[in-house]
Amino acid sequence: MRYLKVLLIALLLVAPGIAAAKAADVPGSAVWYFHIDLAQMRDDGPGRSVYAWLQDEAFADVMDESGVDLDKELDSLTAFALEGEGPVILFEGNISQETKDKIMTFIAASGDLNPLKASGKTYYHFKGTDEDESIDFADNKIEIQIDSLEEESWISLALKNKVLITGSEEQMHAMLANNGKIAGSNGHRGALLILTAEKTMLQAGMNSTAFGDDGDSDWNSNILRNTEQVAFMMAAAANKLALEAKLITSEPEMAESLASVVRGLISLMSFNDEMDAEAVAMLQGTRVEAKGNSLSISLAIDPDLVVRTISD
């Protein structure tokens, strides 16, 4: 089961480090994107088990540390970045006034509460803070630790049921002018690869050619050096979760080689005596297809098996 866990976590977290409007709102020129539809997960169906796991593993910690109830306030989370620009992050849901007040508290920590305006909507400049800076309130009864908020950003609470954060003021102006979207984002024209389905719960992807080789060992692997784009999707399919990953490689031969590696890995895992029959059947039903310079991997999996695997 250890190998299956590694495979599933790799799929579910294909874009690590990307914090998160709908994937349909992501511009085709983006170099990476991440979208999670929590409202879709909450509905009765195969996503409910994964949602319950998120409640236990992530939402509870957020509630304990900040008092923000993501179960009630957050419906979706999307993030993306254009080449050479900072990230755009959009939270959507029934954002409470209490949560908005807490956000304003963080803005106040940078010392800039002067409102700015674009397209008739207000936004604020968050100047960033020194790492581990703390804010002391009246009578020292409350202390909020500010970690890793050194970079400046622009924040708006003016869009209905949305919190918008951008890495540049130009991005903020463009987003506010289009109610939380980048102008001309429809159609996904350009290099960005986006996988879609009727009931999509999770989407992520990146154009890896936009990331230079910075010496990090994760980017020095032969696979990533020869991969131009990666996309992942999790969707509802009857009573199962449909997982699909697609890679665009620099050469057709690399796609064929990767397909062979994946098929070999699946075969080896299928003969693992520690695996139960359900996991073996799931692996044996995995589709691996190389066509030209693209590699597609897809499988349908019982949601409870996903939760058991990533929880072990």
Side-chain angles (χ1 to χ4, degrees), residues 217-251:
S217 60
D218 289 340
W219 290 101
N220 287 333
S221 73
N222 188 49
I223 292 175
L224 288 178
R225 278 204 310 270
N226 291 280
T227 299
E228 296 180 350
Q229 296 183 59
V230 179
F232 171 76
M233 175 187 68
M234 182 175 75
N239 61 342
K240 292 188 177 182
L241 292 174
L243 306 181
E244 182 178 356
K246 188 171 184 177
L247 285 75
I248 304 298
T249 61
S250 56
E251 300 290 342

Side-chain angles (χ1 to χ4, degrees), residues 54-312:
L54 285 173
Q55 285 179 303
D56 292 338
E57 297 294 324
F59 295 178
D61 288 342
V62 173
M63 184 65 178
D64 290 342
E65 294 175 5
S66 68
V68 177
D69 190 344
L70 296 181
D71 185 47
K72 293 181 178 179
E73 298 195 35
L74 189 61
D75 288 339
S76 69
L77 171 66
T78 302
F80 63 87
L82 305 180
E83 187 170 4
E85 300 187 37
V88 172
I89 306 171
L90 188 59
F91 302 87
E92 294 191 76
N94 186 26
I95 312 297
S96 69
Q97 185 59 50
E98 183 180 0
T99 294
K100 292 179 180 179
D101 292 343
K102 291 174 181 176
I103 294 172
M104 291 300 297
T105 299
F106 285 112
I107 295 172
S110 73
D112 194 349
L113 281 175
N114 295 313
L116 304 168
K117 279 197 173 183
S119 300
K121 301 178 180 69
T122 302
Y123 66 97
Y124 298 89
H125 181 204
F126 180 82
K127 296 179 179 178
T129 66
D130 295 329
E131 189 172 0
D132 296 327
E133 180 179 343
S134 63
I135 310 171
D136 295 320
F137 288 85
D139 301 324
N140 294 318
K141 293 180 179 179
I142 302 175
E143 185 178 84
I144 299 178
Q145 294 293 331
I146 310 292
D147 298 323
S148 301
L149 290 176
E150 301 91 349
E151 300 297 328
E152 69 173 352
S153 58
W154 283 260
I155 303 172
S156 178
L157 309 176
L159 298 171
K160 184 178 180 181
N161 296 327
K162 296 176 182 178
V163 175
L164 173 63
I165 303 173
T166 66
S168 74
E169 193 167 14
E170 292 76 14
Q171 289 173 325
M172 177 60 72
H173 288 183
M175 295 287 283
L176 290 179
N178 290 277
N179 196 35
K181 299 180 182 180
I182 287 288
S185 64
N186 293 332
H188 309 305
R189 292 182 176 85
L192 191 68
L193 176 64
I194 296 181
L195 302 177
T196 60
E198 183 179 352
K199 296 183 178 180
T200 305
M201 291 173 279
L202 178 66
Q203 296 163 282
M206 67 180 181
N207 182 348
S208 56
T209 58
F211 293 83
D213 187 354
D214 59 3
D216 192 310
S217 60
D218 289 340
W219 290 101
N220 287 333
S221 73
N222 188 49
I223 292 175
L224 288 178
R225 278 204 310 270
N226 291 280
T227 299
E228 296 180 350
Q229 296 183 59
V230 179
F232 171 76
M233 175 187 68
M234 182 175 75
N239 61 342
K240 292 188 177 182
L241 292 174
L243 306 181
E244 182 178 356
K246 188 171 184 177
L247 285 75
I248 304 298
T249 61
S250 56
E251 300 290 342
E253 293 79 9
M254 178 57 65
E256 291 286 353
S257 297
L258 289 177
S260 181
V261 169
V262 173
R263 286 192 292 263
L265 180 61
I266 290 173
S267 179
L268 288 172
M269 289 192 293
S270 297
F271 284 98
N272 189 326
D273 293 336
E274 296 180 2
M275 277 198 170
D276 58 34
E278 184 181 13
V280 170
M282 179 273 297
L283 285 172
Q284 292 176 340
T286 302
R287 290 183 55 192
V288 181
E289 180 181 11
K291 187 176 181 180
N293 65 336
S294 70
L295 169 66
S296 297
I297 306 170
S298 59
L299 65 154
I301 183 170
D302 183 276
D304 292 332
L305 177 59
V306 173
V307 173
R308 290 201 308 270
T309 301
I310 60 181
S311 299
D312 288 341

